[in-house]
Structure formats: C-alpha cells, structure tokens
Amino acid sequence: MVEPVNSSLGKMLLEEISPVVMVLCTPLVEETFLKNGLSFVETLKPFCNFSNIDVPVRTSGDQLYRLKKFTLRLFNASDIRQPNVEVAKQRLEHVITQAGEKVFHDLKSDPPQITDILSNPESEIAPTWFQYYNKELIRTLSFSDHEAFDHPVACLLVVSSKDEQPVNKFVDLFNTNRLPSLLNDGVMDPKILKHYLLVHDNQDATTERTSKVLSEMRSTFGNNECNLLCTNSSKEGNVEHQANPWASFKSSVSANKLGCALTGDDIVEIKDLMQEFASRHIIPHMEQKVRDLNQQISATRKGLRNQIKTYGGEKEKTMYTFSSTESQIRILGDYAFMLHDYELALSSYRLISTDYKLDKAWKHYAGVQEMMGLAYFISDQSKKEAEYCMENAFSTYLKLGRAGFQNATRCGLWWAEMLKAGDQYKEAASAYFRICGEEPLHAAVMLEQASYCFVLTKPAMLNKYGFHLVLAGDHYKNCDQVSHAIRTYRSAISVYESTTWSHIKDHVHFHIGRWYALVGMHDVAVRNMLKVLDCGNQSKATQEIFLRDFFEIVKKTGMKHEVVGLQLPFINMSSLQVIYEDHRTYASQASVLVQESIWQSLEDDIIPSLNSGKSNWLELQSKLLPKKYKESNVCVAGESVKVDLEFRNPLLISTSITSVSLICELTSNSDDLTVNKEPSSLSVGTESSAEHNQRRREKLVRLTVTPSEEGILKIVGVRWRLSGSVVGVHYFQSTPGKAKTNKGRRKNKLTPTDALKFLVIKSLPRLEGSIHHLPEQLYAGDLRYLVLELKNKSESPIKNLKMKISHPRFVNPGNHEEDVTTEFPECLKKGHEQNFVQSETSSVFSFPKDVSLQGGKSLRWPLWFRAAIPGTISLYFTIYYEMENVSSIMKYRTLRMHYNLKVLPSLETSFEITPSPSRLQEFLVRMDIVNRANSDSFHIHQLSTVGCRWGISLLERVDTILPSKSLLPGQALSCHFMIKDNRKSGTEEEKTISNPPSQTDVKMFTQDDDEKLFDIVNSPLANFHESERSCQETSDQLSTNTVDFILISHVAKSSNPSGVADIPKILSHHSCHNRIRSSNPLSWSLDGPQTIYHDFSTSLCEIQLKLVIRNTCDGLSSVSFNTIDYLPDAAAPIPSSGNQSGWRYVPPSRETPSSMESSPPFIWSGLSSTKVQIQPLSTTEIPLQISVFSPGIYNLSSYELTWELSGHEDASSGTCQGYPYYITVLQPK
C-alpha cells in the first residue's frame, strides 16, 4: 500500500486543491504568446507544478517545516466563475468521444483474455483517460460559493512593453468591472496579493523602452512586486522542442508548433519566474494570512457566529460573506490544507463544522466534512475517521437533491480513490456505483470504473467485473458511444466464455455483433453472431430477433455463404458414431449400439490365438499393412460405412435444414500420389433425412458412404444448408469421432483424423443371422423352443463356427439332431419317446466339425430358452466363423447379435423346511406361492424335488389346496408337503412306517386328469436347473442338508387380455439350496413298550427302553444325556420346549385315563447320564431302563439332552427337554 501523498488521490489533491492565481493581461500580451500557438496562461501552466520547491513555512506554531511539493493554478479572470452546466456536460462528453476515437482501430483485434488482464499491473488495467475525465468532472464544481480553496490567492497583472502607458494599464486591469462576479458579490475577498509582470517581446520590441517602463513600475508598485519576462527570442519562430512541455496540455494543435518562438533560455526564464513567484510571494503571503487569521480567530473566541441571514419562503437559507467568522475559519482551514499543515486544517474544519450544522447550512457542512476526510487521509491519520467524514459528506450532499448531486459525485470520486489507496477495492466499487446518477453517459463511466475495482480485489470478483462492464456498455450504447460499448463488451466476453451462463453470453455476443455491424465491421459481426445461434434458452421472440439479424448481417458481408462452425443446427459431436464392419459384423442396429467392451469380453474366449503365441489378428494386421496405414480402420469394399450424427434444433422456432451430406475423400494407396476418386468410386447418401428440423426436435441422421474399390477412405466433415441461404460446414478433425469398432486396448489410441480414416480391402463373405420366435415380452420362467438361422449370401464357404452366449442361464443350445417332431411342450413330458441329450452347460458352444455353411445356403439350429428372472434383459450372441483363401489380412469374422427382452414377474415361490420332532428323516415343507402377474392366472402343474435323495408327498388333497384350480393375479397360496430323506442312517437302516412309496414328483392337478408329469431329469430342464444352482448362490449351497425344488406351471386359459403377446405353454420355477431350518440340531425318539402287565406283589417292574438320536446338521455334535428321578406330577404330560412351528405332538392311541389316580414316582434304574459324539447327519442309540414300583400311567419325559456343536455357523450349544412319552403299567388280573 503506497503512502497517501504518493497515491493517485494524493497527486490529485496536490493539483486540484492548490492556490489559485487570477491572471489579468492586456490584448497585446495575448498576441505576443499566440505566436507560439498558446495563450499566456497556457504558456505558464506547465511550469506551475513544483516537485522540489523546498520552502520553509511556519503557520500556527513556532516550528518550521519545509514544503517539498507545491502547485499553482492559473486562471484568467474571465474563467473564475462557476461553470455552466450544459457546457461542462458537453466538455465531458467530448472527452469520452475523443477516447472512443482513439480505441476504434483496436476493436478489430482479439478481445483481451481475463488471464492477461489479471496479470497486468494496476496502472494498466483501467483506461488512462479515466483520470483525465475525473479531473474534468471535479473541475465542473470549481469556484463554488461554499469553499475557499478555489478563491484567488493572488492576482497576476500582465502588461506588454508595447502597450501605451503601461503603468496606467496595470491600474485599469484591476478594475471592478473586469473582476469576477464572485469577488464583487462578497463571496471572495477582493483584497488579494497583486503582482505586476511586464512582458517584453524580443522579436519586435526595444529594450530601452522596456527598461524605462520597468523602472517606472517599480517606483509605483514597489520593487519586489514587479518582474520582467522576455520572450520570443527566436527570430525565425521555428524552434522544435524534443520534450514539448505543452503537448499534454493542448492536444488540438500540432506539438511542433507549440512554443515555436521560445528558445531554451526563454523556457528557463519562465521556470525561474514561476519558481520565484511561488516561493517569494505566494507561499509567504499565504503563510502570513494563516498566522493572521489564526490569531484573529483565537482572539475573537473560536466558534463565535457572525452571520448575515436572509429568510425566504418556509425553508431557512444562510449566506456567509468572506468577512464572516465562519468564512474566515473556512479560509484558514483551506489555506492550511494547501500549505500542507493538515493538523491546523483539521482543527479549523472541526471548529466550523458545528456552526454550519447548527445553522442548517448543509452544503457548507458537507463541504467541511469532505475536507476533513481528505485531511485525515493525506495526513495518514485515522482511516476510520476519514471514511466516516466522506460518508457523512456524501449523504449530506444527497439530501440536498439535484442541487447537491454534482458535489456528491466529486465527493464519491475522492472517496473511491481513498478506498483504492487502502486496497479496499470492493468498497471503492460501491462508491462508484452510488454516484452513477441518472445521466446515462456519466453512469457508464462510473460503472466501468467500478468494474475495474472488482478485478483488483483479492481474490478477483470476476462475475461482478463482467456484469458491471455489461451495464456500462449498455449505457454507452444508449448515448451513441458505440466504440466504448464494444470495448466494454469485448472485455466481458473473457469472463463469461468459460461459464454456463448462457443468457448473458448470448446477450454479449449478440449485441457486439450488432454494434460491429453498425460501425461497418461485418466480418467481426458475423463471428460474434455465430455464437448466439445455439440460443435455445432464450424466449421465442428473442430467438426470432437473433436469426433475423444474423441473416441480415450475413447478407451484408458480401462473402461466400459458407460458414465453418455454424451452430444452427447444433451438431452433437458426442453422438458421432462411425459404424463400419471389419472382422466384426452386426445382425441389427441394436447390436451396433452395444458398447464395444461387452463384445470384447464375449469374443476373448472364442477368437483363437495365431502362430505368434498370444498375438491376435489385429497384431497380424499391423504386420501385413503398410507402415503409413497401421493406425487406419479397416472396412470392406462394397460394405457401407455409416455415420450417425445428431442434429439438434435448440430453438423454439422452426428452422429449415436441407442438403445434408458427408465430405469424403477416397484416394489410391498404390503409390504416394493422392488421387480423388469420389465421383466414380464413392456412393454418398443419407438414410434418414433432416430436411425440416422442427422446433426443439433432435434428429439423428444416418449418412452413408460405400466404397466400391480398394484404397484409403477419409471422412472429412459434414455440410448442410440453413434456411436455403447459408451453407454450414463442420469438419470432424477438431473433435474425435466415436467409432463403434474402436479397437480398445488392442490398438494405440487413434487421433481424431485416424478415427475417420479407413483402409478399404477387397470384398469378403458376410454371415447374416436371426433367432426365430423370440418374443420381446414374456413371463419369468417361460420355457421356449427357438431356432437360430444363419445365412451365407456370398459365394465362398465358411467353417469352424462357434457361438458365445452372454447369459447361459437363459439360453441353452440344442443338438442338430434335436428336430422337435412332437408338439412342444409335450415332448418334455415323462414317457415320451423323444429324448434330448443333456449337454454340458457352458457359455461357449462349438458347432460340430462337420457343420459348414456353403455359399448361398442357410443353417437352422435349435435353441432352448428360459426367462430366468424378471426385468429388462439384454442377450448377446457372438458367432465366430472362418474363411478360406479370401484375404491375407482378415482370416475370420464375427457376427454380433443383440436382443432386449422384457421379462414380467409371474409366480414367486418360497419354501420353509422343518424337521419332524418324532420321526427321523422326515420333514414338513411349507410352500408359499404369490402370483405377481398383473392380469394372467396360472395353473400349477407339478412340484418336483431334484435328485433321488428326497421323496415328496402331499399332506392334503389337491382340490382342497386350490379349489379354483388356478392362481389369480395377486393371489397368495400356502400348501404343505412331506419330504423324506431316503439315505441310510449312520447306524442302521431307518424303519419305515406306513407312508406312500418315495417319489420325486407330486401332481398339483386333480388325479382324474390324464396329463403326464414333466421330466426334470433330462435336458432342457436339467440344464437350466444346473444354471440356476450356480446363479442362486447362498451361504447354504455347500451344505449337503439342502433341497432343490422345481415348480411347473402354465398360464390358465382366460378371456382376460394377457400381459404378453404370445401365451407361454410352460413355465418352470427353480428354487435351489433350500436349507432345513431348526432351532436345535438334534432329532430323537424314545422307543419302548406302551403297555406292560406286571405282578408287583413279587417284585418291582423293570422296563427296557432305547433312545435314538440323529444329528441333523453338518457339524460334529457332542450330546450329554441326563435323567431326572422325581417328577411332582408323574401323570401330567410335560410339554416339550423343542417343538417346531407347525407341529403338534399327538401320541398315537395313548389316551391318558382321567379316572386313574396319580401313581408313585418311578426311577431311572439303568444309565442315568452319558455323553456321546455324533457325526454329521448320523444316528446313535442309547439303552435305558426304568424301575416302576406300582401300577399307573407314567410320563417318561424326565430327561434332558445338552448338545454342543463344532465347525458350524449356527448356535454352538443348547439344552432340550425330553418329549412326552407315556407308558401304562397294569397289575394282571
């Protein structure tokens, strides 16, 4: 931060608040100096600024200080008046117009970049003419009646030696009629210092007379008050000054003519004259004046009010003459300020400020506050006080209305400069904004100055910088200052170019384009108007204006109507897709749109490696191709290269787009010569037209080019015609194309040019393929028989076919011998004579070696399809085939097929399996089914368990499970089954009870129907189930204690419209890895007699029992058996805590007699406790014995089983209470 004295404001205060010298001269004096192209005052002005005057000064105190810098302001007496408002306004407008003329030729250059603006020093950011404008604006308030620093300090009376009676001329000059009105009206003190100057013209005056007149002057006015100035020493009047001191003061005259009669000695004499006048006369006079005023005011009690007040109307107005105490104090303060005694100035301003405020003399009060703020600033005292005084002055001026706005403007300018000197640029911008006012040209300058403050803040406030530039530009244009409007808008472009603020960007470019057209720069206007054509964010009316003006400007250019970079319509380069076929061919447009990475992942398993180890055909191709074509794409002669490009109309109005075509080149690769073969060897066309690009519509245009000969094909760009008058051209070299056969990681990254460059090779066989009868929408579980048909339309045969399927869970290839002779799905039922070979489930299918496809032939191959899961499914097929003796570059090709399917939800199943508490290896299955379809009902055909381990049987009749025979949309159903583990136990074969024979299928339809069950053991159901097992992965899949189910259903015949177009004939639902759920890992049963007769008169009764325990989990189980000898109520059944949900224990034919009294307790007389280890899924037996002392019915549940598991994720330990087991002991009759 610079010192206040050396700041921009400090220099301005030194020039603008400095002593004024009133000049009175005769016409002959002016005539003498006009020989130099200058008036007398203009001649002296460059020498009134003293940068090192070094004069000692003593004002109010006894201590001296030295003035280093000092400035005088010289004015003719006729100019000492308040400027006319209109004249001042015209003068300011002239300053702005001149500045605009100087920058006009710079408008053709590129606009400045924001990075360059930020890197410039502070002095170079804002235009230099601002300082001159601000000074002129301040000078419009010169010689006001409420300030004293513009009052003349001295009067310089100048007479020529050629004048008659020069001494009398001096007296006549200081005549009341010639003095300014401000002196005659009592506002200024007419008793000022007078200094007399005699001018001698060396060209046409004699020195004798001049000496005589000078002696007479000194005798009349005093020796010290008179001086002689000799000038025009050059007789020829052709002196040229290298550093002309008047050039910056008078630019209207050529610098060579200014001072042409003044020699170097003349200039030195003028400098000495002004130096002496300032140091020996002006400064001592002001010094003495300050001392006298200070003494006078102190003697007459500071603050005494001596006022002459006049009252007019309702509002009080106060006027102060130069002799009033308030005016004297103001003069004292201003003189002290100009003599750089800022402490004395501040004390004087404080003293008078209160008086003005009490008198409600608000303009005088504001002026004093303004000077206090400047004094605080220049003396580098309290910055807070300085800002407070400026704010107070500014607000007070504004309260005066229009009468005080000019003063408020000057105050605001000084305030802004004060803030800028303290690096408070944001606050300075606010000050500029507050003084904009209603005058548009003045507001434009202030807004532009505010914008440069925003760019100087740390960090730079670029958005506000650009916004204020745009506001300033609008005001400039309203005042017909077009050059300045263009200049400010050009600077704003760099701010908004990188933003997404489309509205303001369109505004800036559109108006710049129009303004450039106004000044005749039509080529620059078109460049800017091109950037607003993509104006979809604007209103319809605005868009119509944009387009209308654009076409008008283009018409005025006289240039060819072919515009490169035309943005209407918008060319969506991200949509650019170059579709061509090399070794990869496509069955449909849907296959083309698939990402290349998906196809590559499929083809990695079927493309064979070549002789060079892991090298593929692309590496071989790079060896076979010439070096200059290694990075080119490869296409086949006779096969079209397609370019998909999206044209978008961003507007709300319709536009006409016609004649859309590719710009292509086909050159010979036989030698280095480039031969354009486009007319005869290229067929360029448009598959989809964009003749009329309607409003807000996007049109994907497919452009094609078909080379018929070998060579190098280049797609250069695209051409179209807009509204029949302007041809738009867009070249692709500037933006990379997105080729659908991009080589990915297999090739080096293509340049934008190479992405649209093709090596055309000779014609090759091409395979076509389709899958018949594949519906687009179907239900989950739908099983279909499909046919894959391949056609070879070329003359050459193809062989070694392979097929890779992305979803083997959905598709299972059949065998060529599987020609379905019986109607589907009857061929899949049990007992049918047609058997399908179960093939290994794999994603890669190799056609038999003997299968080849000759030229002009077709091949049909069976496919089994099952919709595994609901949702939108994408199926990808890649078919690999080889060709013989056709091309040395390409030995094989692939056919890519893609189908999108919508699979609707159908039946949703869930199973819960719980073990029987009393029967080992038997389990209850609860199946829950929900029909998730929206409209169709389903018939349930059968439920099957997979494998030979599990037998399944119904627990209730089918007609009771589902009386309506169909499951309606949204209906839920629960039914129960019994399954039995048919494996042998760990110790001995399980005893079988009266159950139906083990079977793996149960009918879910009435027994009277003759329908057969489906065969789930063979293909395709078995293959699909294996896929489901691998896909339905759970944490239980490694467990051997799981069950798989297959539910077969079909859509019920109904009059309701079906959710799918083709009604499915069979649906299979696979549920895998269903684990048997139990709270404990054990199942057991107590075996023994139910009724015993014993004679208790001879002995007690001993009964042998056996406890069979089975470990139903996959972990090793440690079981402890403990008996309890006494029960409080032996006859009361004790409920088991181990009962499972859904089970209720009912002892078979063991009704407890209610009439028998409770018997005495029994005891466990055999093994009372033991511990055994049971292997997973194994059984063990424990022999037991009880002793009964009297007849009765006994509940043998008085034992506990405590178990511990190892190597299992479930609970590690637990205790089970024995199941109720009743035994009846009777006394024989």
Side-chain angles (χ1 to χ4, degrees):
M1 188 171 63
V2 297
E3 294 182 1
V5 177
N6 298 323
S7 66
S8 176
L9 178 59
K11 296 175 182 178
M12 187 184 299
L13 294 178
L14 182 64
E15 294 177 4
E16 302 302 323
I17 302 183
S18 58
V20 172
V21 176
M22 182 175 64
V23 178
L24 291 167
C25 58
T26 64
L28 287 178
V29 172
E30 292 291 350
E31 182 181 336
T32 298
F33 285 93
L34 285 176
K35 296 179 180 180
N36 299 287
L38 301 164
S39 66
F40 175 75
V41 172
E42 290 173 346
T43 303
L44 268 58
K45 268 187 178 181
F47 312 104
C48 294
N49 189 1
F50 311 103
S51 58
N52 190 17
I53 194 170
D54 196 19
V55 177
V57 177
R58 182 176 62 85
T59 54
S60 59
D62 296 332
Q63 188 173 359
L64 287 173
Y65 63 94
R66 306 192 74 84
L67 277 179
K68 297 294 183 181
K69 296 180 181 181
F70 197 70
T71 301
L72 292 178
R73 291 183 291 160
L74 270 62
F75 290 94
N76 288 315
S78 59
D79 295 333
I80 298 180
R81 66 183 187 278
Q82 294 181 357
N84 181 272
V85 176
E86 292 299 324
V87 174
K89 181 179 177 181
Q90 294 176 3
R91 184 178 181 124
L92 291 173
E93 185 175 349
H94 179 70
V95 172
I96 298 174
T97 303
Q98 277 190 324
E101 293 173 353
K102 292 180 181 179
V103 302
F104 178 78
H105 297 290
D106 297 333
L107 299 181
K108 288 187 176 181
S109 61
D110 293 333
Q113 297 300 314
I114 191 62
T115 53
D116 298 334
I117 295 175
L118 294 175
S119 62
N120 287 337
E122 178 181 345
S123 59
E124 298 180 10
I125 291 179
T128 55
W129 61 268
F130 279 162
Q131 296 180 358
Y132 183 61
Y133 176 86
N134 291 341
K135 288 180 182 179
E136 290 295 329
L137 186 61
I138 291 173
R139 287 169 185 170
T140 60
L141 293 173
S142 301
F143 311 109
S144 60
D145 54 0
H146 71 291
E147 296 167 330
F149 54 78
D150 281 338
H151 295 187
V153 173
C155 180
L156 182 62
L157 295 97
V158 188
V159 174
S160 173
S161 60
K162 296 184 291 183
D163 281 316
E164 296 181 1
Q165 297 182 352
V167 175
N168 293 334
K169 288 288 184 183
F170 281 117
V171 177
D172 294 338
L173 283 177
F174 202 79
N175 190 299
T176 306
N177 297 329
R178 303 192 62 178
L179 293 180
S181 59
L182 293 175
L183 272 73
N184 295 327
D185 295 341
V187 176
M188 299 180 182
D189 189 357
K191 297 179 181 180
I192 57 177
L193 172 69
K194 300 180 183 67
H195 194 75
Y196 305 92
L197 180 64
L198 180 66
V199 175
H200 173 70
D201 189 344
N202 287 328
Q203 289 184 348
D204 52 10
T206 60
T207 55
E208 293 81 3
R209 185 174 186 276
T210 301
S211 300
K212 181 179 178 181
V213 172
L214 181 61
S215 299
E216 186 179 356
M217 286 171 54
R218 287 175 176 172
S219 63
T220 303
F221 304 114
N223 189 41
N224 293 331
E225 304 302 328
C226 299
N227 263 331
L228 172 66
L229 177 63
C230 298
T231 185
N232 294 343
S233 299
S234 175
K235 299 298 182 180
E236 295 80 10
N238 55 1
V239 178
E240 293 186 5
H241 304 279
Q242 292 183 352
N244 197 309
W246 298 279
S248 60
F249 289 88
K250 193 167 185 178
S251 59
S252 59
V253 182
S254 175
N256 296 330
K257 296 182 180 181
L258 296 177
C260 57
L262 298 176
T263 63
D265 293 338
D266 293 339
I267 294 176
V268 171
E269 186 174 351
I270 294 174
K271 286 182 179 179
D272 293 342
L273 170 69
M274 298 310 297
Q275 177 94 4
E276 180 183 355
F277 184 49
S279 59
R280 294 187 178 181
H281 298 278
I282 299 295
I283 295 176
H285 171 73
M286 294 178 66
E287 181 183 7
Q288 184 61 43
K289 182 81 169 179
V290 167
R291 287 200 296 267
D292 293 344
L293 287 173
N294 189 42
Q295 183 178 4
Q296 175 185 346
I297 293 169
S298 299
T300 57
R301 188 169 57 85
K302 288 187 178 183
L304 177 66
R305 293 188 293 166
N306 181 18
Q307 306 166 2
I308 301 175
K309 300 180 182 180
T310 60
Y311 300 93
E314 297 179 357
K315 184 175 180 181
E316 177 183 356
K317 295 184 179 179
T318 306
M319 293 184 62
Y320 303 94
T321 63
F322 71 89
S323 60
S324 65
T325 303
E326 289 83 359
S327 297
Q328 294 296 306
I329 298 175
R330 175 64 197 252
I331 293 173
L332 173 61
D334 287 351
Y335 272 43
F337 192 98
M338 291 186 286
L339 290 175
H340 302 179
D341 187 353
Y342 302 113
E343 289 294 338
L344 178 59
L346 271 173
S347 63
S348 302
Y349 294 144
R350 291 193 196 98
L351 184 64
I352 197 61
S353 176
T354 304
D355 291 345
Y356 285 145
K357 189 174 183 180
L358 292 174
D359 292 340
K360 297 183 179 180
W362 298 119
K363 192 172 185 179
H364 293 74
Y365 171 74
V368 171
Q369 290 290 317
E370 187 177 5
M371 293 304 297
M372 288 176 63
L374 296 177
Y376 276 122
F377 167 77
I378 200 70
S379 61
D380 200 11
Q381 296 189 36
S382 172
K383 183 172 69 173
K384 184 177 179 181
E385 289 293 335
E387 293 181 9
Y388 171 78
C389 291
M390 298 305 287
E391 171 70 37
N392 197 9
F394 184 81
S395 301
T396 305
Y397 278 135
L398 289 182
K399 290 178 181 178
L400 298 174
R402 298 182 62 86
F405 180 74
Q406 281 187 294
N407 296 92
T409 301
R410 184 190 66 182
C411 179
L413 285 176
W414 279 340
W415 188 12
E417 291 294 336
M418 181 188 302
L419 294 169
K420 286 161 65 176
D423 294 336
Q424 296 175 272
Y425 294 103
K426 183 178 178 181
E427 292 75 8
S430 177
Y432 281 124
F433 190 80
R434 294 174 68 179
I435 59 177
C436 287
E438 299 178 357
E439 178 62 36
L441 189 57
H442 168 77
V445 180
M446 295 302 111
L447 287 169
E448 188 176 0
Q449 293 191 75
S451 69
Y452 296 118
C453 292
F454 286 118
V455 85
L456 290 170
T457 57
K458 302 297 180 183
M461 304 174 71
L462 298 181
N463 291 334
K464 288 184 177 293
Y465 164 67
F467 180 69
H468 283 73
L469 282 176
V470 171
L471 289 178
D474 287 339
H475 283 75
Y476 280 131
K477 178 58 180 64
N478 293 336
C479 300
D480 296 328
Q481 297 288 342
V482 182
S483 296
H484 287 295
I486 295 176
R487 179 180 56 80
T488 53
Y489 266 52
R490 275 163 44 93
S491 300
I493 287 177
S494 60
V495 176
Y496 300 112
E497 200 68 41
S498 59
T499 66
T500 58
W501 297 359
S502 54
H503 278 82
I504 195 167
K505 281 197 292 187
D506 290 346
H507 173 88
V508 171
H509 283 296
F510 174 70
H511 284 84
I512 284 185
R514 293 182 64 183
W515 297 339
Y516 269 119
L518 288 176
V519 297
M521 300 182 185
H522 294 97
D523 52 342
V524 187
V526 170
R527 289 203 303 267
N528 283 276
M529 293 293 285
L530 284 173
K531 298 180 180 179
V532 303
L533 296 184
D534 182 17
C535 54
N537 54 310
Q538 301 287 352
S539 65
K540 182 178 179 181
T542 303
Q543 294 173 9
E544 291 175 346
I545 294 173
F546 282 5
L547 246 65
R548 182 195 64 206
D549 288 9
F550 170 72
F551 287 123
E552 289 179 357
I553 294 174
V554 169
K555 188 176 180 180
K556 293 178 181 178
T557 58
M559 58 180 285
K560 293 181 180 179
H561 300 311
E562 182 170 291
V563 181
V564 177
L566 185 63
Q567 290 191 345
L568 190 64
F570 174 72
I571 307 296
N572 185 7
M573 291 307 299
S574 63
S575 70
L576 175 65
Q577 294 183 354
V578 184
I579 305 166
Y580 65 97
E581 296 181 337
D582 44 18
H583 77 292
R584 292 151 288 195
T585 62
Y586 301 91
S588 63
Q589 176 64 22
S591 305
V592 175
L593 301 178
V594 178
Q595 293 183 0
E596 179 65 19
S597 59
I598 296 177
W599 293 123
Q600 286 184 1
S601 63
L602 290 176
E603 294 172 358
D604 283 344
D605 295 336
I606 61 175
I607 294 179
S609 59
L610 302 178
N611 295 330
S612 57
K614 295 184 178 180
S615 64
N616 53 37
W617 81 274
L618 289 169
E619 295 172 355
L620 177 62
Q621 172 186 322
S622 65
K623 298 176 183 178
L624 296 175
L625 291 178
K627 183 177 180 180
K628 62 187 295 185
Y629 304 125
K630 283 184 178 181
E631 296 301 325
S632 299
N633 302 305
V634 179
C635 65
V636 181
E639 297 181 6
S640 62
V641 176
K642 303 174 183 179
V643 177
D644 283 352
L645 193 59
E646 184 183 89
F647 287 73
R648 189 182 72 204
N649 180 12
L651 308 182
L652 293 170
I653 58 178
S654 299
T655 57
S656 174
I657 308 298
T658 57
S659 305
V660 182
S661 62
L662 287 174
I663 305 173
C664 303
E665 296 177 0
L666 180 63
T667 57
S668 173
N669 59 353
S670 58
D671 49 39
D672 293 334
L673 294 177
T674 300
V675 182
N676 191 347
K677 300 163 61 177
E678 180 175 348
S680 60
S681 303
L682 282 179
S683 174
V684 180
T686 306
E687 288 190 7
S688 55
S689 174
E691 295 299 318
H692 296 285
N693 198 353
Q694 299 297 328
R695 61 179 183 177
R696 287 251 184 229
R697 292 187 60 181
E698 299 168 354
K699 186 77 172 181
L700 184 65
V701 181
R702 171 157 292 181
L703 306 168
T704 63
V705 54
T706 305
S708 59
E709 298 180 7
E710 298 179 62
I712 300 298
L713 173 65
K714 295 180 181 178
I715 302 177
V716 179
V718 64
R719 179 185 289 110
W720 69 95
R721 185 175 293 276
L722 173 63
S723 297
S725 60
V726 179
V727 175
V729 176
H730 185 91
Y731 291 107
F732 295 148
Q733 283 82 352
S734 60
T735 304
K738 183 169 60 177
K740 288 307 292 182
T741 54
N742 193 335
K743 306 306 182 292
R745 64 178 184 275
R746 297 183 177 180
K747 287 189 66 175
N748 296 330
K749 184 177 181 180
L750 299 178
T751 63
T753 303
D754 290 334
L756 298 167
K757 181 179 178 182
F758 301 89
L759 173 64
V760 184
I761 63 175
K762 65 180 181 179
S763 180
L764 296 175
R766 183 180 181 277
L767 190 64
E768 297 181 1
S770 62
I771 298 177
H772 299 304
H773 313 304
L774 178 60
E776 295 182 356
Q777 185 169 278
L778 62 168
Y779 280 120
D782 193 350
L783 183 63
R784 301 269 179 159
Y785 175 78
L786 309 175
V787 176
L788 168 66
E789 183 175 8
L790 303 176
K791 295 180 181 180
N792 180 11
K793 292 187 176 182
S794 66
E795 298 179 356
S796 302
I798 59 176
K799 62 177 184 178
N800 295 340
L801 282 81
K802 299 179 185 177
M803 179 169 62
K804 177 70 177 291
I805 305 169
S806 62
H807 293 72
R809 185 180 183 183
F810 283 76
V811 181
N812 184 18
N815 294 291
H816 195 34
E817 295 79 9
E818 291 181 0
D819 291 332
V820 178
T821 58
T822 309
E823 185 178 354
F824 175 82
E826 298 297 327
C827 58
L828 301 182
K829 293 184 178 180
K830 289 184 177 181
H832 199 273
E833 61 180 6
Q834 183 164 354
N835 294 321
F836 300 107
V837 178
Q838 184 171 352
S839 59
E840 181 181 353
T841 303
S842 174
S843 60
V844 178
F845 174 73
S846 297
F847 290 81
K849 293 292 185 181
D850 58 347
V851 174
S852 62
L853 194 55
Q854 300 299 321
K857 300 294 182 180
S858 63
L859 173 67
R860 294 172 62 89
W861 200 269
L863 296 177
W864 291 105
F865 172 83
R866 177 181 172 273
I869 54 176
T872 301
I873 308 299
S874 294
L875 294 179
Y876 306 100
F877 301 83
T878 295
I879 299 176
Y880 164 90
Y881 57 96
E882 296 179 359
M883 305 160 291
E884 289 185 355
N885 302 325
V886 178
S887 172
S888 59
I889 296 177
M890 199 175 296
K891 297 295 185 181
Y892 72 89
R893 302 186 87 173
T894 57
L895 173 63
R896 297 171 169 180
M897 305 170 64
H898 172 232
Y899 296 92
N900 278 321
L901 307 176
K902 184 177 182 181
V903 182
L904 303 176
S906 56
L907 296 183
E908 184 179 295
T909 62
S910 62
F911 294 86
E912 182 180 357
I913 308 173
T914 54
S916 169
S918 61
R919 294 181 181 178
L920 301 180
Q921 295 184 282
E922 289 188 5
F923 304 88
L924 177 68
V925 178
R926 173 177 172 174
M927 179 177 68
D928 295 318
I929 310 175
V930 180
N931 183 0
R932 298 294 185 186
N934 292 327
S935 58
D936 283 319
S937 301
F938 292 92
H939 284 318
I940 302 174
H941 189 273
Q942 74 182 65
L943 178 65
S944 302
T945 57
V946 180
C948 301
R949 175 183 173 184
W950 300 98
I952 186 170
S953 59
L954 287 167
L955 289 182
E956 49 191 331
R957 290 171 55 86
V958 174
D959 52 2
T960 61
I961 297 175
L962 192 61
S964 63
K965 296 186 179 182
S966 62
L967 201 60
L968 302 177
Q971 183 179 356
L973 171 68
S974 296
C975 50
H976 297 83
F977 303 88
M978 178 72 75
I979 61 172
K980 183 174 182 181
D981 190 350
N982 293 324
R983 297 187 305 177
K984 301 297 182 181
S985 64
T987 56
E988 60 176 346
E989 185 178 350
E990 292 287 348
K991 295 181 180 180
T992 59
I993 58 177
S994 57
N995 280 334
S998 296
Q999 56 183 11
T1000 59
D1001 310 295
V1002 292
K1003 292 183 178 181
M1004 298 297 290
F1005 51 90
T1006 58
Q1007 300 296 328
D1008 297 336
D1009 296 340
D1010 295 332
E1011 288 191 53
K1012 297 180 180 180
L1013 296 176
F1014 285 93
D1015 185 2
I1016 67 167
V1017 178
N1018 295 317
S1019 177
L1021 287 173
N1023 289 344
F1024 283 125
H1025 187 74
E1026 287 300 321
S1027 298
E1028 289 299 317
R1029 282 187 61 84
S1030 61
C1031 293
Q1032 296 182 21
E1033 295 181 355
T1034 64
S1035 59
D1036 299 330
Q1037 64 179 357
L1038 299 178
S1039 174
T1040 59
N1041 204 22
T1042 60
V1043 187
D1044 292 354
F1045 296 97
I1046 299 178
L1047 179 69
I1048 306 296
S1049 65
H1050 59 85
V1051 177
K1053 295 180 180 180
S1054 174
S1055 59
N1056 294 332
S1058 176
V1060 294
D1062 188 7
I1063 298 178
K1065 297 180 180 180
I1066 176 176
L1067 293 87
S1068 65
H1069 312 274
H1070 301 252
S1071 179
C1072 306
H1073 314 296
N1074 294 285
R1075 188 175 180 183
I1076 299 173
R1077 305 296 178 183
S1078 176
S1079 61
N1080 64 69
L1082 304 179
S1083 64
W1084 68 93
S1085 64
L1086 188 61
D1087 293 341
Q1090 297 181 2
T1091 304
I1092 294 179
Y1093 292 89
H1094 181 74
D1095 185 4
F1096 288 95
S1097 61
T1098 57
S1099 65
L1100 56 83
C1101 179
E1102 294 182 348
I1103 304 173
Q1104 302 296 324
L1105 304 168
K1106 179 176 65 174
L1107 182 65
V1108 182
I1109 306 175
R1110 181 175 178 82
N1111 181 4
T1112 61
C1113 70
D1114 299 330
L1116 180 64
S1117 179
S1118 174
V1119 181
S1120 297
F1121 173 80
N1122 296 286
T1123 62
I1124 303 173
D1125 287 335
Y1126 176 76
L1127 287 176
D1129 186 3
I1134 301 176
S1136 172
S1137 62
N1139 286 349
Q1140 300 302 306
S1141 175
W1143 291 91
R1144 295 295 183 269
Y1145 179 78
V1146 180
S1149 63
R1150 296 181 183 178
E1151 298 180 358
T1152 305
S1154 59
S1155 60
M1156 185 169 291
E1157 296 180 357
S1158 177
S1159 304
F1162 64 89
I1163 63 172
W1164 298 88
S1165 56
L1167 185 66
S1168 61
S1169 65
T1170 185
K1171 186 174 184 179
V1172 295
Q1173 299 286 335
I1174 308 177
Q1175 296 297 324
L1177 304 177
S1178 299
T1179 304
T1180 188
E1181 297 179 357
I1182 300 176
L1184 301 174
Q1185 178 180 308
I1186 63 171
S1187 297
V1188 181
F1189 301 98
S1190 61
I1193 300 174
Y1194 299 94
N1195 181 4
L1196 305 186
S1197 61
S1198 57
Y1199 61 88
E1200 289 181 344
L1201 295 176
T1202 303
W1203 50 270
E1204 292 184 1
L1205 287 182
S1206 59
H1208 198 271
E1209 62 182 6
D1210 291 341
S1212 59
S1213 62
T1215 301
C1216 300
Q1217 185 67 39
Y1219 294 133
Y1221 181 85
Y1222 293 94
I1223 185 171
T1224 303
V1225 183
L1226 301 175
Q1227 182 76 27
K1229 295 182 181 179

